Amino acid sequence: MNNTALTSEDLYTVQVANESHYHLAETICDEMAESAKARGTGIAKRSPDYLREKMREGKAIIALTKKGEWMGFCYIETWEHGKFVANSGLIVQPEFRKSGIATRIKQKAFELSRTKYPDAKIIGLTTSLAVMKINSDLGYEPTTFSELPADDAFWKGCSSCVNYDVLTRTNRKHCLCTGMLFDPLEAKKKEEAGKKDEHWDFLEESPLYERWMRFKQRILLRREERRKKKLAEAELMA
Protein backbone atom coordinates (compact mmCIF):
# COMPACT_ATOMS: atom_id res chain seq x y z
CA MET A 1 0.00 0.00 0.00
CA ASN A 2 1.70 3.19 -1.17
CA ASN A 3 0.15 6.37 0.21
CA THR A 4 -3.31 5.50 -1.13
CA ALA A 5 -6.55 6.28 0.66
CA LEU A 6 -7.82 3.43 2.79
CA THR A 7 -11.44 2.45 2.33
CA SER A 8 -13.93 0.69 4.57
CA GLU A 9 -13.03 -2.51 2.75
CA ASP A 10 -9.47 -2.38 4.04
CA LEU A 11 -9.13 -4.43 7.18
CA TYR A 12 -7.39 -2.42 9.87
CA THR A 13 -8.14 -1.31 13.40
CA VAL A 14 -7.54 1.89 15.34
CA GLN A 15 -7.74 1.06 19.03
CA VAL A 16 -6.50 1.81 22.53
CA ALA A 17 -3.14 0.04 22.85
CA ASN A 18 -2.49 -2.53 25.59
CA GLU A 19 0.08 -5.04 26.82
CA SER A 20 -0.30 -7.18 23.71
CA HIS A 21 1.40 -4.39 21.74
CA TYR A 22 4.52 -4.15 23.92
CA HIS A 23 6.64 -5.87 21.26
CA LEU A 24 6.03 -2.96 18.85
CA ALA A 25 7.34 -0.25 21.19
CA GLU A 26 10.96 -0.35 20.05
CA THR A 27 10.05 -0.26 16.34
CA ILE A 28 7.72 2.68 16.93
CA CYS A 29 10.45 4.59 18.82
CA ASP A 30 12.90 4.01 15.97
CA GLU A 31 10.42 5.37 13.42
CA MET A 32 9.75 8.42 15.61
CA ALA A 33 13.49 9.19 15.63
CA GLU A 34 13.85 8.67 11.87
CA SER A 35 10.84 10.86 11.13
CA ALA A 36 12.12 13.70 13.33
CA LYS A 37 15.54 13.47 11.67
CA ALA A 38 14.04 13.56 8.17
CA ARG A 39 11.88 16.61 8.97
CA GLY A 40 14.72 18.49 10.63
CA THR A 41 12.58 19.08 13.71
CA GLY A 42 12.09 17.07 16.86
CA ILE A 43 9.31 15.39 18.71
CA ALA A 44 9.85 14.53 22.32
CA LYS A 45 12.23 11.59 22.43
CA ARG A 46 10.74 8.67 24.30
CA SER A 47 12.05 5.24 25.22
CA PRO A 48 10.35 1.91 24.41
CA ASP A 49 9.69 1.48 28.13
CA TYR A 50 7.88 4.83 28.22
CA LEU A 51 5.61 3.77 25.34
CA ARG A 52 4.96 0.43 27.06
CA GLU A 53 3.93 2.34 30.18
CA LYS A 54 1.43 4.34 28.13
CA MET A 55 0.07 1.12 26.63
CA ARG A 56 -0.30 -0.43 30.09
CA GLU A 57 -2.16 2.66 31.37
CA GLY A 58 -4.56 2.68 28.43
CA LYS A 59 -3.21 6.04 27.28
CA ALA A 60 -2.03 5.18 23.77
CA ILE A 61 -3.68 4.67 20.40
CA ILE A 62 -2.38 2.23 17.80
CA ALA A 63 -3.46 1.44 14.24
CA LEU A 64 -2.85 -2.11 12.99
CA THR A 65 -3.34 -4.02 9.76
CA LYS A 66 -5.21 -7.32 9.74
CA LYS A 67 -1.86 -9.10 10.00
CA GLY A 68 -0.88 -7.12 13.10
CA GLU A 69 1.58 -4.77 11.40
CA TRP A 70 1.60 -1.39 13.09
CA MET A 71 0.49 1.51 10.91
CA GLY A 72 0.47 4.43 13.31
CA PHE A 73 0.61 5.43 16.95
CA CYS A 74 0.23 8.25 19.46
CA TYR A 75 -0.20 8.62 23.22
CA ILE A 76 -1.70 11.06 25.70
CA GLU A 77 0.00 12.90 28.54
CA THR A 78 -1.41 15.05 31.34
CA TRP A 79 -0.04 18.17 32.97
CA GLU A 80 -0.87 20.24 36.05
CA HIS A 81 -2.92 17.48 37.69
CA GLY A 82 -5.10 16.84 34.65
CA LYS A 83 -5.78 20.47 33.80
CA PHE A 84 -4.11 19.95 30.42
CA VAL A 85 -3.96 16.91 28.14
CA ALA A 86 -1.65 16.53 25.15
CA ASN A 87 -1.97 14.01 22.32
CA SER A 88 1.72 13.43 21.67
CA GLY A 89 4.12 11.47 19.50
CA LEU A 90 1.85 11.02 16.47
CA ILE A 91 3.68 8.81 13.99
CA VAL A 92 2.55 6.93 10.88
CA GLN A 93 4.59 4.34 9.00
CA PRO A 94 5.88 5.88 5.72
CA GLU A 95 3.96 3.45 3.49
CA PHE A 96 0.67 4.39 5.14
CA ARG A 97 1.09 8.16 5.10
CA LYS A 98 -1.47 10.25 3.20
CA SER A 99 -3.97 7.44 3.67
CA GLY A 100 -6.16 9.08 6.32
CA ILE A 101 -4.76 6.95 9.15
CA ALA A 102 -3.28 9.97 10.95
CA THR A 103 -6.73 11.56 11.09
CA ARG A 104 -8.28 8.37 12.47
CA ILE A 105 -5.58 8.08 15.14
CA LYS A 106 -5.94 11.71 16.19
CA GLN A 107 -9.73 11.36 16.37
CA LYS A 108 -9.42 8.28 18.57
CA ALA A 109 -6.85 9.98 20.81
CA PHE A 110 -9.11 13.03 21.09
CA GLU A 111 -12.06 10.83 22.09
CA LEU A 112 -9.91 8.99 24.64
CA SER A 113 -8.72 12.29 26.11
CA ARG A 114 -12.27 13.62 26.38
CA THR A 115 -13.42 10.40 28.05
CA LYS A 116 -10.59 10.17 30.59
CA TYR A 117 -10.29 13.91 31.25
CA PRO A 118 -13.59 15.59 30.25
CA ASP A 119 -12.73 18.94 31.89
CA ALA A 120 -9.14 19.19 30.63
CA LYS A 121 -7.93 21.54 27.94
CA ILE A 122 -6.41 19.53 25.10
CA ILE A 123 -3.25 21.07 23.73
CA GLY A 124 -0.68 20.54 21.02
CA LEU A 125 2.53 21.95 19.59
CA THR A 126 3.31 21.31 15.95
CA THR A 127 5.16 22.58 12.89
CA SER A 128 3.05 20.36 10.62
CA LEU A 129 0.27 22.03 8.62
CA ALA A 130 -1.30 18.58 8.13
CA VAL A 131 -1.56 18.12 11.91
CA MET A 132 -2.90 21.65 12.27
CA LYS A 133 -5.65 20.77 9.76
CA ILE A 134 -6.58 17.62 11.71
CA ASN A 135 -6.57 19.54 15.01
CA SER A 136 -8.71 22.35 13.66
CA ASP A 137 -11.32 19.86 12.43
CA LEU A 138 -11.49 18.51 16.00
CA GLY A 139 -12.11 21.98 17.41
CA TYR A 140 -8.61 23.12 18.35
CA GLU A 141 -7.66 26.74 17.74
CA PRO A 142 -4.23 28.41 17.58
CA THR A 143 -3.11 29.77 20.93
CA THR A 144 -0.20 31.66 22.45
CA PHE A 145 2.47 29.79 24.37
CA SER A 146 1.34 31.61 27.53
CA GLU A 147 -1.89 29.57 27.43
CA LEU A 148 0.05 26.30 27.55
CA PRO A 149 1.22 24.59 30.78
CA ALA A 150 3.78 26.44 32.87
CA ASP A 151 5.08 23.09 34.13
CA ASP A 152 8.80 22.73 33.37
CA ALA A 153 8.25 19.02 32.70
CA PHE A 154 5.98 19.92 29.77
CA TRP A 155 8.62 22.05 28.09
CA LYS A 156 11.35 19.54 28.86
CA GLY A 157 9.61 17.33 26.33
CA CYS A 158 10.81 19.77 23.67
CA SER A 159 14.47 19.37 24.66
CA SER A 160 15.21 16.78 21.97
CA CYS A 161 13.99 19.15 19.24
CA VAL A 162 16.63 20.88 17.11
CA ASN A 163 14.80 24.17 17.74
CA TYR A 164 14.86 23.89 21.53
CA ASP A 165 17.50 26.60 21.82
CA VAL A 166 15.17 29.03 20.05
CA LEU A 167 12.43 28.24 22.55
CA THR A 168 14.63 28.70 25.62
CA ARG A 169 16.27 31.91 24.40
CA THR A 170 12.86 33.54 23.89
CA ASN A 171 11.76 32.50 27.39
CA ARG A 172 9.21 30.07 25.93
CA LYS A 173 7.39 32.88 24.13
CA HIS A 174 8.27 31.94 20.56
CA CYS A 175 9.40 28.94 18.54
CA LEU A 176 8.86 27.43 15.10
CA CYS A 177 5.95 25.38 16.44
CA THR A 178 2.37 26.61 16.61
CA GLY A 179 0.46 26.09 19.84
CA MET A 180 -3.10 24.76 19.56
CA LEU A 181 -5.81 24.31 22.18
CA PHE A 182 -9.26 22.76 22.58
CA ASP A 183 -11.13 24.27 25.53
CA PRO A 184 -14.12 22.11 26.58
CA LEU A 185 -15.69 25.04 28.45
CA GLU A 186 -15.62 27.24 25.36
CA ALA A 187 -16.90 24.37 23.23
CA LYS A 188 -19.84 23.92 25.63
CA LYS A 189 -20.63 27.65 25.50
CA LYS A 190 -20.71 27.55 21.71
CA GLU A 191 -22.96 24.51 21.76
CA GLU A 192 -25.37 26.14 24.20
CA ALA A 193 -25.42 29.29 22.08
CA GLY A 194 -26.15 27.28 18.95
CA LYS A 195 -22.70 28.00 17.51
CA LYS A 196 -21.32 24.47 17.69
CA ASP A 197 -20.17 24.51 14.06
CA GLU A 198 -18.30 27.79 14.40
CA HIS A 199 -14.58 27.15 14.60
CA TRP A 200 -11.31 28.27 13.09
CA ASP A 201 -11.46 27.72 9.31
CA PHE A 202 -8.09 26.14 8.61
CA LEU A 203 -8.53 25.91 4.84
CA GLU A 204 -9.32 29.62 4.66
CA GLU A 205 -6.47 30.64 6.94
CA SER A 206 -3.77 28.11 5.96
CA PRO A 207 -2.12 30.28 3.24
CA LEU A 208 -1.69 33.02 5.84
CA TYR A 209 -0.23 30.54 8.33
CA GLU A 210 2.15 29.12 5.76
CA ARG A 211 3.50 32.62 5.08
CA TRP A 212 3.66 33.39 8.80
CA MET A 213 5.55 30.19 9.59
CA ARG A 214 8.09 30.86 6.83
CA PHE A 215 8.55 34.41 8.10
CA LYS A 216 8.87 33.25 11.70
CA GLN A 217 11.44 30.66 10.70
CA ARG A 218 13.57 33.23 8.87
CA ILE A 219 13.45 35.72 11.75
CA LEU A 220 14.19 33.25 14.54
CA LEU A 221 16.93 31.43 12.67
CA ARG A 222 18.61 34.70 11.64
CA ARG A 223 18.55 35.78 15.28
CA GLU A 224 20.18 32.48 16.24
CA GLU A 225 22.85 32.85 13.53
CA ARG A 226 23.72 36.35 14.79
CA ARG A 227 24.00 35.05 18.35
CA LYS A 228 26.35 32.25 17.30
CA LYS A 229 28.44 34.69 15.26
CA LYS A 230 28.84 37.01 18.25
CA LEU A 231 29.86 34.09 20.47
CA ALA A 232 32.45 32.98 17.91
CA GLU A 233 33.85 36.52 17.66
CA ALA A 234 34.04 36.79 21.45
CA GLU A 235 35.95 33.51 21.67
CA LEU A 236 38.46 34.72 19.08
CA MET A 237 39.05 37.92 21.03
CA ALA A 238 39.41 36.13 24.36
PDB file of all heavy atoms in Angstrom, residues 109-134:
ATOM      1  N   ALA A 109      -7.567   9.420  19.665  1.00  0.00           N
ATOM      2  CA  ALA A 109      -6.846   9.976  20.810  1.00  0.00           C
ATOM      3  C   ALA A 109      -7.633  11.122  21.441  1.00  0.00           C
ATOM      4  O   ALA A 109      -7.670  11.269  22.672  1.00  0.00           O
ATOM      5  CB  ALA A 109      -5.464  10.463  20.383  1.00  0.00           C
ATOM      6  N   PHE A 110      -8.280  11.922  20.610  1.00  0.00           N
ATOM      7  CA  PHE A 110      -9.107  13.026  21.092  1.00  0.00           C
ATOM      8  C   PHE A 110     -10.276  12.481  21.902  1.00  0.00           C
ATOM      9  O   PHE A 110     -10.576  12.970  23.001  1.00  0.00           O
ATOM     10  CB  PHE A 110      -9.607  13.842  19.900  1.00  0.00           C
ATOM     11  CG  PHE A 110     -10.408  15.055  20.274  1.00  0.00           C
ATOM     12  CD1 PHE A 110      -9.780  16.229  20.659  1.00  0.00           C
ATOM     13  CD2 PHE A 110     -11.792  15.034  20.227  1.00  0.00           C
ATOM     14  CE1 PHE A 110     -10.515  17.360  20.997  1.00  0.00           C
ATOM     15  CE2 PHE A 110     -12.542  16.147  20.564  1.00  0.00           C
ATOM     16  CZ  PHE A 110     -11.895  17.312  20.949  1.00  0.00           C
ATOM     17  N   GLU A 111     -10.935  11.444  21.379  1.00  0.00           N
ATOM     18  CA  GLU A 111     -12.060  10.828  22.092  1.00  0.00           C
ATOM     19  C   GLU A 111     -11.603  10.231  23.422  1.00  0.00           C
ATOM     20  O   GLU A 111     -12.293  10.359  24.441  1.00  0.00           O
ATOM     21  CB  GLU A 111     -12.681   9.732  21.212  1.00  0.00           C
ATOM     22  CG  GLU A 111     -13.373  10.261  19.970  1.00  0.00           C
ATOM     23  CD  GLU A 111     -13.714   9.164  18.974  1.00  0.00           C
ATOM     24  OE1 GLU A 111     -13.499   7.975  19.318  1.00  0.00           O
ATOM     25  OE2 GLU A 111     -14.177   9.486  17.871  1.00  0.00           O
ATOM     26  N   LEU A 112     -10.434   9.576  23.411  1.00  0.00           N
ATOM     27  CA  LEU A 112      -9.907   8.987  24.643  1.00  0.00           C
ATOM     28  C   LEU A 112      -9.606  10.072  25.671  1.00  0.00           C
ATOM     29  O   LEU A 112      -9.902   9.917  26.869  1.00  0.00           O
ATOM     30  CB  LEU A 112      -8.635   8.187  24.325  1.00  0.00           C
ATOM     31  CG  LEU A 112      -7.949   7.483  25.502  1.00  0.00           C
ATOM     32  CD1 LEU A 112      -8.868   6.417  26.104  1.00  0.00           C
ATOM     33  CD2 LEU A 112      -6.629   6.862  25.051  1.00  0.00           C
ATOM     34  N   SER A 113      -9.033  11.172  25.218  1.00  0.00           N
ATOM     35  CA  SER A 113      -8.719  12.295  26.111  1.00  0.00           C
ATOM     36  C   SER A 113      -9.980  12.883  26.717  1.00  0.00           C
ATOM     37  O   SER A 113     -10.030  13.181  27.913  1.00  0.00           O
ATOM     38  CB  SER A 113      -7.956  13.384  25.345  1.00  0.00           C
ATOM     39  OG  SER A 113      -6.749  12.889  24.814  1.00  0.00           O
ATOM     40  N   ARG A 114     -11.016  13.046  25.893  1.00  0.00           N
ATOM     41  CA  ARG A 114     -12.270  13.625  26.379  1.00  0.00           C
ATOM     42  C   ARG A 114     -12.963  12.683  27.372  1.00  0.00           C
ATOM     43  O   ARG A 114     -13.622  13.123  28.302  1.00  0.00           O
ATOM     44  CB  ARG A 114     -13.200  13.915  25.198  1.00  0.00           C
ATOM     45  CG  ARG A 114     -12.681  14.960  24.235  1.00  0.00           C
ATOM     46  CD  ARG A 114     -12.804  16.377  24.795  1.00  0.00           C
ATOM     47  NE  ARG A 114     -14.185  16.802  24.846  1.00  0.00           N
ATOM     48  CZ  ARG A 114     -14.791  17.276  25.923  1.00  0.00           C
ATOM     49  NH1 ARG A 114     -14.136  17.347  27.088  1.00  0.00           N
ATOM     50  NH2 ARG A 114     -16.044  17.670  25.885  1.00  0.00           N
ATOM     51  N   THR A 115     -12.802  11.375  27.154  1.00  0.00           N
ATOM     52  CA  THR A 115     -13.421  10.396  28.052  1.00  0.00           C
ATOM     53  C   THR A 115     -12.701  10.347  29.399  1.00  0.00           C
ATOM     54  O   THR A 115     -13.339  10.377  30.461  1.00  0.00           O
ATOM     55  CB  THR A 115     -13.408   8.990  27.412  1.00  0.00           C
ATOM     56  OG1 THR A 115     -14.159   9.022  26.195  1.00  0.00           O
ATOM     57  CG2 THR A 115     -14.007   7.962  28.357  1.00  0.00           C
ATOM     58  N   LYS A 116     -11.371  10.282  29.355  1.00  0.00           N
ATOM     59  CA  LYS A 116     -10.589  10.174  30.587  1.00  0.00           C
ATOM     60  C   LYS A 116     -10.517  11.491  31.350  1.00  0.00           C
ATOM     61  O   LYS A 116     -10.500  11.502  32.588  1.00  0.00           O
ATOM     62  CB  LYS A 116      -9.169   9.690  30.259  1.00  0.00           C
ATOM     63  CG  LYS A 116      -9.047   8.194  29.996  1.00  0.00           C
ATOM     64  CD  LYS A 116      -7.594   7.801  29.780  1.00  0.00           C
ATOM     65  CE  LYS A 116      -7.404   6.299  29.763  1.00  0.00           C
ATOM     66  NZ  LYS A 116      -7.576   5.676  31.093  1.00  0.00           N
ATOM     67  N   TYR A 117     -10.462  12.594  30.619  1.00  0.00           N
ATOM     68  CA  TYR A 117     -10.286  13.914  31.250  1.00  0.00           C
ATOM     69  C   TYR A 117     -11.268  14.910  30.627  1.00  0.00           C
ATOM     70  O   TYR A 117     -10.864  15.807  29.870  1.00  0.00           O
ATOM     71  CB  TYR A 117      -8.843  14.397  31.071  1.00  0.00           C
ATOM     72  CG  TYR A 117      -7.817  13.389  31.551  1.00  0.00           C
ATOM     73  CD1 TYR A 117      -7.191  12.524  30.644  1.00  0.00           C
ATOM     74  CD2 TYR A 117      -7.483  13.287  32.901  1.00  0.00           C
ATOM     75  CE1 TYR A 117      -6.251  11.597  31.084  1.00  0.00           C
ATOM     76  CE2 TYR A 117      -6.552  12.353  33.339  1.00  0.00           C
ATOM     77  CZ  TYR A 117      -5.942  11.510  32.425  1.00  0.00           C
ATOM     78  OH  TYR A 117      -5.024  10.589  32.854  1.00  0.00           O
ATOM     79  N   PRO A 118     -12.558  14.782  30.916  1.00  0.00           N
ATOM     80  CA  PRO A 118     -13.586  15.595  30.251  1.00  0.00           C
ATOM     81  C   PRO A 118     -13.462  17.098  30.491  1.00  0.00           C
ATOM     82  O   PRO A 118     -13.945  17.887  29.672  1.00  0.00           O
ATOM     83  CB  PRO A 118     -14.892  15.042  30.825  1.00  0.00           C
ATOM     84  CG  PRO A 118     -14.507  14.384  32.118  1.00  0.00           C
ATOM     85  CD  PRO A 118     -13.145  13.820  31.876  1.00  0.00           C
ATOM     86  N   ASP A 119     -12.830  17.506  31.590  1.00  0.00           N
ATOM     87  CA  ASP A 119     -12.732  18.935  31.889  1.00  0.00           C
ATOM     88  C   ASP A 119     -11.384  19.538  31.480  1.00  0.00           C
ATOM     89  O   ASP A 119     -11.169  20.750  31.638  1.00  0.00           O
ATOM     90  CB  ASP A 119     -12.932  19.171  33.391  1.00  0.00           C
ATOM     91  CG  ASP A 119     -14.310  18.721  33.859  1.00  0.00           C
ATOM     92  OD1 ASP A 119     -15.277  18.919  33.102  1.00  0.00           O
ATOM     93  OD2 ASP A 119     -14.419  18.175  34.972  1.00  0.00           O
ATOM     94  N   ALA A 120     -10.488  18.712  30.960  1.00  0.00           N
ATOM     95  CA  ALA A 120      -9.140  19.189  30.626  1.00  0.00           C
ATOM     96  C   ALA A 120      -9.108  19.939  29.291  1.00  0.00           C
ATOM     97  O   ALA A 120      -9.885  19.641  28.376  1.00  0.00           O
ATOM     98  CB  ALA A 120      -8.171  18.012  30.569  1.00  0.00           C
ATOM     99  N   LYS A 121      -8.216  20.892  29.209  1.00  0.00           N
ATOM    100  CA  LYS A 121      -7.930  21.544  27.937  1.00  0.00           C
ATOM    101  C   LYS A 121      -6.957  20.635  27.168  1.00  0.00           C
ATOM    102  O   LYS A 121      -5.979  20.156  27.734  1.00  0.00           O
ATOM    103  CB  LYS A 121      -7.287  22.915  28.165  1.00  0.00           C
ATOM    104  CG  LYS A 121      -8.220  23.922  28.835  1.00  0.00           C
ATOM    105  CD  LYS A 121      -7.516  25.250  29.052  1.00  0.00           C
ATOM    106  CE  LYS A 121      -8.455  26.259  29.709  1.00  0.00           C
ATOM    107  NZ  LYS A 121      -7.784  27.571  29.940  1.00  0.00           N
ATOM    108  N   ILE A 122      -7.258  20.402  25.914  1.00  0.00           N
ATOM    109  CA  ILE A 122      -6.414  19.529  25.097  1.00  0.00           C
ATOM    110  C   ILE A 122      -5.511  20.411  24.248  1.00  0.00           C
ATOM    111  O   ILE A 122      -5.991  21.306  23.542  1.00  0.00           O
ATOM    112  CB  ILE A 122      -7.256  18.589  24.219  1.00  0.00           C
ATOM    113  CG1 ILE A 122      -8.250  17.826  25.093  1.00  0.00           C
ATOM    114  CG2 ILE A 122      -6.364  17.626  23.452  1.00  0.00           C
ATOM    115  CD1 ILE A 122      -9.179  16.904  24.311  1.00  0.00           C
ATOM    116  N   ILE A 123      -4.217  20.163  24.328  1.00  0.00           N
ATOM    117  CA  ILE A 123      -3.246  21.072  23.735  1.00  0.00           C
ATOM    118  C   ILE A 123      -2.329  20.340  22.761  1.00  0.00           C
ATOM    119  O   ILE A 123      -2.238  19.111  22.755  1.00  0.00           O
ATOM    120  CB  ILE A 123      -2.390  21.744  24.824  1.00  0.00           C
ATOM    121  CG1 ILE A 123      -1.697  20.670  25.682  1.00  0.00           C
ATOM    122  CG2 ILE A 123      -3.242  22.679  25.677  1.00  0.00           C
ATOM    123  CD1 ILE A 123      -0.746  21.222  26.719  1.00  0.00           C
ATOM    124  N   GLY A 124      -1.646  21.121  21.945  1.00  0.00           N
ATOM    125  CA  GLY A 124      -0.675  20.541  21.024  1.00  0.00           C
ATOM    126  C   GLY A 124       0.316  21.582  20.556  1.00  0.00           C
ATOM    127  O   GLY A 124       0.018  22.782  20.526  1.00  0.00           O
ATOM    128  N   LEU A 125       1.498  21.122  20.204  1.00  0.00           N
ATOM    129  CA  LEU A 125       2.532  21.952  19.591  1.00  0.00           C
ATOM    130  C   LEU A 125       2.960  21.259  18.311  1.00  0.00           C
ATOM    131  O   LEU A 125       3.313  20.083  18.335  1.00  0.00           O
ATOM    132  CB  LEU A 125       3.746  22.104  20.523  1.00  0.00           C
ATOM    133  CG  LEU A 125       3.670  23.104  21.661  1.00  0.00           C
ATOM    134  CD1 LEU A 125       4.861  22.910  22.600  1.00  0.00           C
ATOM    135  CD2 LEU A 125       3.665  24.532  21.119  1.00  0.00           C
ATOM    136  N   THR A 126       2.947  21.957  17.197  1.00  0.00           N
ATOM    137  CA  THR A 126       3.313  21.308  15.945  1.00  0.00           C
ATOM    138  C   THR A 126       3.853  22.303  14.927  1.00  0.00           C
ATOM    139  O   THR A 126       3.505  23.486  14.958  1.00  0.00           O
ATOM    140  CB  THR A 126       2.099  20.566  15.337  1.00  0.00           C
ATOM    141  OG1 THR A 126       2.495  19.875  14.161  1.00  0.00           O
ATOM    142  CG2 THR A 126       0.984  21.545  14.996  1.00  0.00           C
ATOM    143  N   THR A 127       4.716  21.805  14.047  1.00  0.00           N
ATOM    144  CA  THR A 127       5.161  22.579  12.887  1.00  0.00           C
ATOM    145  C   THR A 127       4.470  22.070  11.630  1.00  0.00           C
ATOM    146  O   THR A 127       4.665  22.619  10.547  1.00  0.00           O
ATOM    147  CB  THR A 127       6.683  22.455  12.685  1.00  0.00           C
ATOM    148  OG1 THR A 127       7.021  21.070  12.547  1.00  0.00           O
ATOM    149  CG2 THR A 127       7.451  23.062  13.841  1.00  0.00           C
ATOM    150  N   SER A 128       3.668  21.017  11.768  1.00  0.00           N
ATOM    151  CA  SER A 128       3.046  20.360  10.618  1.00  0.00           C
ATOM    152  C   SER A 128       1.695  20.979  10.279  1.00  0.00           C
ATOM    153  O   SER A 128       0.772  20.975  11.096  1.00  0.00           O
ATOM    154  CB  SER A 128       2.871  18.865  10.908  1.00  0.00           C
ATOM    155  OG  SER A 128       2.041  18.253   9.945  1.00  0.00           O
ATOM    156  N   LEU A 129       1.558  21.485   9.052  1.00  0.00           N
ATOM    157  CA  LEU A 129       0.274  22.033   8.620  1.00  0.00           C
ATOM    158  C   LEU A 129      -0.781  20.929   8.518  1.00  0.00           C
ATOM    159  O   LEU A 129      -1.965  21.179   8.731  1.00  0.00           O
ATOM    160  CB  LEU A 129       0.433  22.739   7.274  1.00  0.00           C
ATOM    161  CG  LEU A 129       1.212  24.053   7.312  1.00  0.00           C
ATOM    162  CD1 LEU A 129       1.434  24.575   5.901  1.00  0.00           C
ATOM    163  CD2 LEU A 129       0.490  25.100   8.158  1.00  0.00           C
ATOM    164  N   ALA A 130      -0.349  19.696   8.203  1.00  0.00           N
ATOM    165  CA  ALA A 130      -1.297  18.585   8.129  1.00  0.00           C
ATOM    166  C   ALA A 130      -1.905  18.311   9.504  1.00  0.00           C
ATOM    167  O   ALA A 130      -3.118  18.086   9.630  1.00  0.00           O
ATOM    168  CB  ALA A 130      -0.597  17.335   7.600  1.00  0.00           C
ATOM    169  N   VAL A 131      -1.065  18.337  10.546  1.00  0.00           N
ATOM    170  CA  VAL A 131      -1.562  18.117  11.906  1.00  0.00           C
ATOM    171  C   VAL A 131      -2.444  19.287  12.333  1.00  0.00           C
ATOM    172  O   VAL A 131      -3.473  19.089  13.003  1.00  0.00           O
ATOM    173  CB  VAL A 131      -0.395  17.932  12.893  1.00  0.00           C
ATOM    174  CG1 VAL A 131      -0.900  17.864  14.333  1.00  0.00           C
ATOM    175  CG2 VAL A 131       0.373  16.646  12.557  1.00  0.00           C
ATOM    176  N   MET A 132      -2.075  20.495  11.947  1.00  0.00           N
ATOM    177  CA  MET A 132      -2.903  21.651  12.268  1.00  0.00           C
ATOM    178  C   MET A 132      -4.293  21.515  11.649  1.00  0.00           C
ATOM    179  O   MET A 132      -5.304  21.869  12.273  1.00  0.00           O
ATOM    180  CB  MET A 132      -2.224  22.932  11.791  1.00  0.00           C
ATOM    181  CG  MET A 132      -0.984  23.310  12.584  1.00  0.00           C
ATOM    182  SD  MET A 132      -0.145  24.762  11.915  1.00  0.00           S
ATOM    183  CE  MET A 132      -1.337  26.030  12.294  1.00  0.00           C
ATOM    184  N   LYS A 133      -4.360  20.981  10.433  1.00  0.00           N
ATOM    185  CA  LYS A 133      -5.648  20.775   9.765  1.00  0.00           C
ATOM    186  C   LYS A 133      -6.486  19.756  10.546  1.00  0.00           C
ATOM    187  O   LYS A 133      -7.679  19.975  10.803  1.00  0.00           O
ATOM    188  CB  LYS A 133      -5.409  20.272   8.336  1.00  0.00           C
ATOM    189  CG  LYS A 133      -6.657  19.763   7.613  1.00  0.00           C
ATOM    190  CD  LYS A 133      -7.667  20.885   7.389  1.00  0.00           C
ATOM    191  CE  LYS A 133      -8.787  20.454   6.449  1.00  0.00           C
ATOM    192  NZ  LYS A 133      -9.653  19.391   6.986  1.00  0.00           N
ATOM    193  N   ILE A 134      -5.859  18.640  10.937  1.00  0.00           N
ATOM    194  CA  ILE A 134      -6.575  17.624  11.711  1.00  0.00           C
ATOM    195  C   ILE A 134      -7.077  18.214  13.026  1.00  0.00           C
ATOM    196  O   ILE A 134      -8.231  18.026  13.416  1.00  0.00           O
ATOM    197  CB  ILE A 134      -5.666  16.413  11.986  1.00  0.00           C
ATOM    198  CG1 ILE A 134      -5.287  15.711  10.679  1.00  0.00           C
ATOM    199  CG2 ILE A 134      -6.360  15.423  12.921  1.00  0.00           C
ATOM    200  CD1 ILE A 134      -4.210  14.652  10.847  1.00  0.00           C
TER     201      ILE A 134
END
